Amino acid sequence: MFKSIGAETVMHENFNAAYEYAFVAAKRGVDGERLIALVLGPPRSGKTEVSHLLLQDFKPDATDGSKRVPVIRVVTPVRPTKKTMAEAIVAALDNRYFGRQTADQLTARAKLLLKTVGTRVILFDEVQHIVERNLAKSWYEVADWLKTLSDDLSLTLILFGLPSARQIVEVNSQLRDRSDPAYLLYPYNWNQPADVTE
């Protein structure tokens, strides 16, 4: 049966290196380390595919009758604030609606859910929204919220987004100091003989 090439994962060298970089960060996080890593690249370079592969590598399980979710994926809201970031985490773990809540209430609920299911790593996709839709002051506020979340729960955060997302760590020195150098993932370049050969 015919299968579209668009439905295939092309594991080219740069993609494999990005996946390995993210896998190592996730594994270290699952094993108890607290890290912040970035996988950045232009649209359609494979960043979301890397995050989906990580979810397959670190699947939820049930130990002693309780559900354990070591790695979750959260899509950064289009207009990110502390409140909407917390809402996105809550939505990834619990789809029940509890009415209107403040940013602090939602953050507390997100932290409780993360602790309850034993989450060690959060994959934040589309993090460029933080810098695209906000003023620099708001970038700092959301970046500080991410740093505090990581510190309070000793979590590893892997941030996926466009290259502009690097500004998230540049605007907050404490977050920058906790971050590994970003991995830049680029698609094939048909103008490069090495890429054509591969």
Side-chain angles (χ1 to χ4, degrees), residues 7 11 18 38 52 58-59 69 115 118 142 156 163 166 182 185-186 196 198:
M11 306 289 279
L38 293 90
H52 285 303
F58 302 97
K59 291 181 179 176
V69 187
K115 285 181 189 174
V142 175
T156 284
R166 190 190 306 260
L185 172 58
Y186 288 100
V196 173
E198 188 188 354

Side-chain angles (χ1 to χ4, degrees), residues 2-159:
F2 173 77
K3 189 172 182 182
S4 167
I5 190 69
E8 294 291 332
T9 301
V10 181
M11 306 289 279
H12 59 89
E13 184 178 350
N14 194 19
F15 180 90
N16 283 336
Y19 165 70
E20 182 65 23
Y21 168 87
F23 177 86
V24 168
K27 179 72 168 70
R28 289 171 63 188
V30 168
D31 289 343
E33 288 190 58
R34 183 183 69 210
L35 307 166
I36 296 174
L38 293 90
V39 178
L40 307 177
R44 303 199 53 79
S45 56
K47 301 178 300 293
T48 298
E49 186 62 26
V50 170
S51 68
H52 285 303
L53 289 174
L54 292 176
L55 289 178
Q56 293 174 26
D57 292 328
F58 302 97
K59 291 181 179 176
D61 60 42
T63 307
D64 301 327
S66 59
K67 186 177 180 182
R68 185 172 172 275
V69 187
V71 178
I72 66 166
R73 178 178 174 267
V74 175
V75 178
T76 304
V78 173
R79 297 201 179 276
T81 62
K82 294 188 294 185
K83 182 176 180 179
T84 60
M85 293 291 281
E87 281 176 338
I89 292 173
V90 169
L93 292 170
D94 182 3
N95 59 6
R96 292 176 294 173
Y97 180 67
F98 286 88
R100 291 186 179 185
Q101 294 180 303
T102 66
D104 289 341
Q105 289 171 326
L106 280 162
T107 298
R109 185 170 166 214
K111 288 179 178 179
L112 177 62
L113 287 168
L114 291 165
K115 285 181 189 174
T116 301
V117 298
T119 298
R120 297 287 317 127
V121 179
I122 304 178
L123 313 174
F124 281 104
D125 215 344
E126 306 291 347
V127 291
Q128 74 276 357
H129 291 165
I130 295 170
V131 297
E132 286 177 346
R133 308 287 181 173
N134 286 324
L135 300 173
K137 182 181 175 184
S138 300
W139 303 353
Y140 183 88
E141 193 173 86
V142 175
D144 195 60
W145 183 87
L146 288 170
K147 181 216 33 125
T148 302
L149 180 70
S150 175
D151 286 350
D152 288 353
L153 300 181
S154 193
L155 294 175
T156 284
L157 308 180
I158 305 179
L159 312 178

